[in-house]
Amino acid sequence: MTNEEKRKHSRIDSVNLLNYVYFDENEEEENQGMGRTLNVSESGILLETHSPMDARRTVSLTIGFKEDVVDIKGKVVYMRKMENNMFESGIEFFDIDQSANIVLKKYIEAFNENSQP
């Protein structure tokens, strides 16, 4: 049995604090708070929060990557409750401007260069 990778972009383990705004099905602000990334790729993140997020809802993220801060919108593709009463949500980016994409790519490249032996 093979374990084939289905992701378009590789993910790196990365802990970054962020602010998020979570929208309801009518695209009205439902909740906002703080969270942290657990891993990140060019197409999405794994986000840890204190509050659950429903799949297919929109979330706006403000993420700090070292000295750069980017604003990215995404869609919740899944959520699971963890044993520590925290929630992990998979977020797929769908609205990322060119400057945020450049920062994200530079951060991932720098991380990959620093993690090689």
Side-chain angles (χ1 to χ4, degrees), residues 20 34-35 48-52 85-87:
Y20 69 88
M34 297 280 296
E48 180 182 67
T49 62
H50 292 281
S51 302
N85 291 323
M86 298 292 282
F87 298 89

Side-chain angles (χ1 to χ4, degrees), residues 12 14-20 33-40 45 47 60-72 93 100 103-104 106-108 111:
I12 60 169
S14 174
V15 177
N16 302 79
L17 297 180
L18 59 81
N19 289 324
Y20 69 88
M34 297 280 296
R36 68 181 184 142
T37 64
L38 298 177
N39 66 43
V40 64
I45 66 168
L47 173 63
S60 178
L61 308 167
T62 302
I63 310 170
F65 293 110
K66 297 194 178 193
E67 65 276 350
D68 296 306
V69 176
V70 297
D71 293 312
I72 302 173
F93 301 145
V103 169
L104 186 59
K106 281 183 5 185
Y107 178 79
I108 291 170
F111 181 90

Side-chain angles (χ1 to χ4, degrees), residues 19-25 27-33 47 49 51-61 74-76 79 89 91:
N19 289 324
Y20 69 88
V21 178
Y22 175 69
F23 298 93
D24 66 15
E25 63 275 354
E27 295 299 316
E28 306 237 349
E29 184 179 318
E30 181 175 314
N31 190 14
Q32 59 180 307
L47 173 63
T49 62
S51 302
M53 296 183 181
D54 292 334
R56 297 180 304 281
R57 296 280 183 89
T58 301
V59 63
S60 178
L61 308 167
K75 187 169 297 267
V76 179
M79 187 274 309
S89 299
I91 310 292

